[in-house]
Amino acid sequence: MRRTTLAFGALSFFLLGAATALAGKLTFDMSRVRGQEPAAAAAALLAEAEAQAGTGTWERIAIGDVYYRGGDRERGQKYFDAVLGATPEASDFFRVAIVYADGGEWDKAKPLFERGLALKPKDHRGAADAAAWAILYKDREWGEAQFLRAVSEAPGNTYHYVNMAGAYLGLKPRE
């Protein structure tokens, strides 16, 4: 019995390793970026990311984030609009809100935090992120209310306390 279990375990480990190696096989042609100007290298990588993203909302938000923060706000906004215009989850609202907040656009970020929290009122991570960004943007009353919301759901989450402390000191929250 023990020998069979060991053999099965070894076979499983081998197959898992083989599957991981095949899945992780590099198929991207690095000549598309190596030696290229930064804009051309970024364009090649984003084209590959777009091909891989499919309908993944987090992936498309990440692509939109790079376009948006990289200077092509119109193209980035199209990604955000496509995700948020479909059937978004609370986390989709939070992710786009963070892009706006990080870019200095609290007027665009706050309504998305609010929509995410309306969809998932007990999301302590979303509330904590909203709280820290609100503090940075001097929206202290709303931010402190979101912090209380976060710690009422997860009172022992050190991340929440650290990010709020940092926000009071002018530091952006860490993911």
Side-chain angles (χ1 to χ4, degrees), residues 63-120:
I63 293 166
D65 177 24
V66 172
Y67 280 122
Y68 198 85
R69 290 185 306 122
D72 192 345
R73 287 187 169 210
E74 184 177 323
R75 192 163 183 182
Q77 188 65 53
K78 286 180 183 178
Y79 277 91
F80 303 152
D81 292 345
V83 170
L84 298 180
T87 315
E89 295 182 10
S91 60
D92 298 327
F93 287 110
F94 297 142
R95 288 178 187 284
V96 177
I98 289 169
V99 173
Y100 291 145
D102 193 35
E105 298 179 273
W106 182 240
D107 58 318
K108 289 174 121 180
K110 184 178 178 180
L112 295 182
F113 278 125
E114 291 172 329
R115 288 180 70 188
L117 290 167
L119 278 176
K120 198 170 179 185

Side-chain angles (χ1 to χ4, degrees), residues 144-156:
E144 289 174 349
Q146 302 321 304
F147 179 71
L148 285 176
R149 180 185 216 167
V151 296
S152 71
E153 292 298 323

Side-chain angles (χ1 to χ4, degrees), residues 132-157:
W133 285 107
I135 295 301
L136 279 172
Y137 283 101
K138 312 296 187 236
D139 194 347
R140 189 168 178 163
E141 185 177 335
W142 189 80
E144 289 174 349
Q146 302 321 304
F147 179 71
L148 285 176
R149 180 185 216 167
V151 296
S152 71
E153 292 298 323
N157 190 319

